[in-house]
Amino acid sequence: MKIAVLPGDGIGPEIVTQAVKVLEALRSDGLKIEMEYAHLGGAGYDAAGDPFPPATEKLALAADAVLLGAVGGYQYDTLPRPMRPEQGLLRIRKGLGLFANLRPAMVYPELVNASSLKPELVSGLDIMILRELTGDIYFGQPRGIRQLPNGERQGFDTMLYSESEIRRVAHVGFQIALKRNKKMCSVDKANVLDTSMFWREIVTEVAKEYPAVDLSHMYVDNAAMQLVRAPKQFDVILTGNIFGDILSDEASMLTGSIGMLPSASLDAHNKGLYEPCHGSAPDIAGKDIANPLATILSLAMMMRYTFVREDIAQRIENAVRKVLQQGMRTADIYEAGMQKVGCMAMGDAVVASL
Ligand code: NAD
């Protein structure tokens, strides 16, 4: 298992250190794990003047999987756009061909009160959001700001999806649905957007190859509403890049804390980049209060999807559950009566329960 480790910025190094402890524990149990470190985001800019330095690209391409903390920080906000940390993230996703972004939104029984919704709406919630990650309006050309003949300035972007892009992510969605409750809801805006009409047509075609999966379609505005009205109606949600960006953040709040949510971004051969859903949280960086569980749970996804070791994935997930059952909480998920612990202590507790 060749893993490229990219701590990144802000709380990235702290939370990645905890995940690395878990990998080291697994290695001492006999798993053949190799780890090598590189810079991404602001750390890449500081070290090499580039948010995705060539050395990082080389390491990431050679690895089986990439573990990332997070990127971004106030000190980089005034840099020209190509130098900003987020560009490093967009470029590594594109460079590795990571088109399928998996974001589970799960509510742990111990954290049901942390949700902003009523416990009965979210208790037992287990949704998988599959967001297409390398197409759509985030990458479509042309884009820019132009001057119209009448002198007024205009901003514009282009929403684009090619058939092959829709097909390959739809296949990933159906295959995930087959391993879960065999229900998939494809989310689009086909009542208004031609790109979405085409998306719906192709997803419906691919569905013929998966008769066991119950496919439905929903407009994105309704999906946003249903996610807070009755989220348990969903199993797998398949959607494009911009809708997925927004819906997956919305879904993350159903679970109470963004500090609990892992993610995987996969290529066509299950090589993947694994990272927590949250950002670099510069407001709490360096204080040993960040929640490392999303990053540790991202390792479980790595074991499941890239290394096809469901046994190890479950071992990590069970270890996390056990520390929650023991009452340990970082500040973001703390409730009265529980034991408040810092980032390092939480990492140590997971290793101990592993
Ligand atoms: P954020 O996710 O970093 O933080 C939002 C809030 O959640 C903050 O109050 C933060 O303290 C808290 N939080 C986040 N992760 C936490 C954790 N593990 N434990 C406890 N609390 C946690 O989002 P933001 O503040 O909008 O962005 C901060 C920076 O992160 C920006 O530079 C942004 O561009 C970047 N960002 C990076 C990624 C990524 O690397 N994938 C994703 C989103 C944002």
Side-chain angles (χ1 to χ4, degrees):
M1 298 178 177
K2 274 171 81 168
I3 303 173
V5 182
L6 315 180
D9 310 318
I11 57 169
E14 307 164 45
I15 54 181
V16 163
T17 299
Q18 310 316 312
V20 166
K21 283 184 198 164
V22 171
L23 286 173
E24 279 166 351
L26 291 168
R27 183 161 61 187
S28 65
D29 272 1
L31 269 195
K32 291 207 170 69
I33 296 175
E34 283 174 34
M35 287 180 265
E36 241 184 281
Y37 286 76
H39 299 297
L40 187 79
Y45 177 79
D46 290 340
D50 183 350
F52 185 35
T56 304
E57 185 173 10
K58 196 166 159 224
L59 182 70
L61 285 169
D64 300 316
V66 179
L67 174 68
L68 169 65
V71 301
Y74 310 131
Q75 68 271 46
Y76 308 109
D77 283 351
T78 51
L79 288 174
R81 196 145 72 109
M83 292 299 143
R84 294 215 191 135
E86 297 72 21
Q87 290 299 312
L89 200 56
L90 293 178
R91 281 167 57 202
I92 194 171
R93 288 171 179 166
K94 195 83 178 169
L96 297 183
L98 306 172
F99 66 89
N101 180 228
L102 277 61
R103 284 177 58 161
M106 258 187 76
V107 173
Y108 289 86
E110 296 80 11
L111 299 183
V112 76
N113 291 322
S115 173
S116 40
L117 294 192
K118 297 187 197 98
E120 61 269 28
L121 286 183
V122 293
S123 149
L125 183 79
D126 180 3
I127 305 178
M128 178 66 85
I129 298 193
L130 172 56
R131 162 187 173 196
E132 200 288 335
L133 203 57
T134 52
D136 208 351
I137 196 164
Y138 289 175
F139 292 95
Q141 294 288 345
R143 61 188 289 170
I145 300 167
R146 62 191 166 199
Q147 186 122 24
L148 296 175
N150 68 4
E152 197 188 0
R153 290 198 308 153
Q154 184 183 57
F156 63 103
D157 295 272
T158 307
M159 180 175 264
L160 287 176
Y161 262 122
S162 58
E163 184 171 343
S164 57
E165 285 176 312
I166 304 171
R167 273 188 194 281
R168 65 180 182 178
V169 76
H171 278 291
V172 174
F174 284 110
Q175 277 155 21
I176 293 170
L178 278 178
K179 292 189 198 138
R180 297 171 47 100
N181 292 330
K182 303 187 176 55
K183 263 176 59 184
M184 185 162 85
C185 180
S186 172
V187 171
D188 60 38
K189 188 72 183 167
N191 49 345
V192 178
L193 298 172
D194 285 4
T195 315
S196 277
M197 260 167 54
F198 185 57
W199 171 281
R200 194 177 277 217
E201 178 190 322
I202 302 302
V203 172
T204 306
E205 253 181 61
V206 175
K208 292 183 189 140
E209 296 176 46
Y210 301 91
V213 177
D214 175 13
L215 172 69
S216 59
H217 301 273
M218 195 179 278
Y219 298 137
V220 62
D221 41 350
N222 187 21
M225 185 176 78
Q226 296 299 333
L227 270 174
V228 289
R229 194 188 73 87
K232 284 191 269 185
Q233 70 186 281
F234 296 109
D235 178 18
V236 177
I237 293 179
L238 165 70
T239 190
N241 203 345
I242 186 168
F243 300 151
D245 189 359
I246 298 164
L247 291 182
S248 57
D249 263 25
E250 186 190 359
S252 72
M253 269 301 110
L254 304 176
T255 70
S257 171
I258 201 160
M260 292 299 299
L261 292 174
S263 81
S265 303
L266 305 177
D267 76 357
H269 310 286
N270 288 338
K271 174 174 178 154
L273 180 140
Y274 297 85
E275 59 176 326
C277 286
H278 56 74
S280 56
D283 52 331
I284 58 167
K287 297 182 179 164
D288 191 37
I289 55 175
N291 185 345
L293 294 180
T295 316
I296 291 172
L297 290 167
S298 299
L299 281 184
M301 292 188 86
M302 180 191 288
M303 293 299 158
R304 174 168 297 126
Y305 292 104
T306 291
F307 297 118
V308 198
R309 289 293 304 264
E310 182 63 30
D311 55 330
I312 302 169
Q314 286 188 16
R315 198 172 150 204
I316 297 170
E317 287 166 352
N318 288 338
V320 167
R321 248 171 239 149
K322 205 161 137 192
V323 298
L324 293 176
Q325 278 159 11
Q326 287 164 352
M328 281 179 226
R329 301 284 189 273
T330 42
D332 56 308
I333 51 173
Y334 179 73
E335 276 181 82
M338 297 293 147
Q339 182 193 346
K340 199 185 264 186
V341 295
C343 182
M344 279 192 281
M346 188 57 114
D348 291 339
V350 174
V351 169
S353 86
L354 196 68

